[in-house]
Amino acid sequence: MASHPRIAILGGTGKEGSGLALRWARAGYPIAIGSRDPERARHTVERLRPLASSAELVGLSNAEAAAWGTVVVIAVPYEGHAAILQALRDTLARKLIVDIVVPLDPNNPRRYAPPPDGSATAEAQRILGPEAPVVGAFHNISYLHLHNLGETPECDVLVVGDHHEAKAQVIALAEAIGFTAYDAGPLANAPIVEGLTAVLIGLNMRYKARGVGIRITGIPGKKQEPVQTNRS
Amino acid sequence: MASHPRIAILGGTGKEGSGLALRWARAGYPIAIGSRDPERARHTVERLRPLASSAELVGLSNAEAAAWGTVVVIAVPYEGHAAILQALRDTLARKLIVDIVVPLDPNNPRRYAPPPDGSATAEAQRILGPEAPVVGAFHNISYLHLHNLGETPECDVLVVGDHHEAKAQVIALAEAIGFTAYDAGPLANAPIVEGLTAVLIGLNMRYKARGVGIRITGIPGKKQEPVQTNRS
């Protein structure tokens, strides 16, 4: 993988997608924000640009962004998850797909509501087929931490999927913006890692907190120093 | 709840059960180790006694232990989980049940293999019925941390179940032996919390570590000082 692949974020106008865009842009990655409405994508780009002045940052339709990126992050609301993957299946072949979507009960965001495939990540892998390696990651990172640039997020990234090389690339992308990231196992573990988001949302509510996260303990060698991502 | 309820640990000769027995005994709780073979239970008691000299510590059959305790911890291998609960159903009525069992694939301990109920905790609650509040807890704590008395385990306890008062009691029992413990939501979250154990086992293997754990971040008020549990 080139040291700075182009990263397209479908649904990149949302809180989580735009937060990742901001962090990667500040770390020097070329970024496309994708949206159903390219005008909204450009609006998000203008909002982020002062915080990432030196970066290549463009606003496109989701289809244009998918074609543009070599890494494509799926950050749409779960309701549109299967539809966008089906629509862009050919465009996404042979790209590295990073799925950050968590299917939650629309009536209760503390409740994980996986699709029949078992997880959103597995649903994406089934729809895209073996030609597009799908990696689930970043589910447990609160958008609050991504947008608060004064903060190194105190939350680790758990990466799941059946493609080892793809997982290694996503771990490197997470570490490039200051996270400690772990290979959390095969696609079969995606329900656990996605579901943990519902547990964390419940902890936020129950303990009147914001941005609750998790840290993995007991792997001292993996602990990295906070990375300064502000390049402006 | 009395400040020091009697805690019976069914399957208490195992690594995890005996580790919890040791910690609670040292914190002053009366403990019964239960086993299918009472002779093995007494053997475990003799092994633990020098480390918990002042505590009431007895070895019994599982049935005797279940009758003796006001808190009953289910720590049997998953293969015997449903059978012991069915056999002791009447004895366990109106007791506080703490289920620490994680159903793993016998051929691959990195793989969570939940029963048709969705989780071991849900299976226990179904078998015992509404008269016995079942709380899932301690799944993610490596036995290594429990037996290493020089160490304050760097792993938090996630507590799940549908009975709020029972969860509060289990959180207090966890905090009494030095853990930070959290109400991680309803019984419906048990697959996530149990399944996390399989993820942690995978991390142990993948990163050549032992006793990988998790910490919840972002709830500063909950962070407690390490508790000294050595009363001898």
Side-chain angles (χ1 to χ4, degrees), chain A residues 123-145:
Chain A
E123 183 178 71
Q125 188 66 80
R126 175 184 55 78
I127 291 170
L128 297 179
E131 283 200 30
V134 176
V135 174
F138 299 104
H139 310 96
N140 306 317
I141 310 298
S142 163
Y143 71 89
L144 293 168
H145 298 305

Side-chain angles (χ1 to χ4, degrees), chain B residues 121-133:
Chain B
T121 312
E123 184 178 72
Q125 188 67 79
R126 175 184 54 78
I127 292 170
L128 297 179
E131 283 200 29

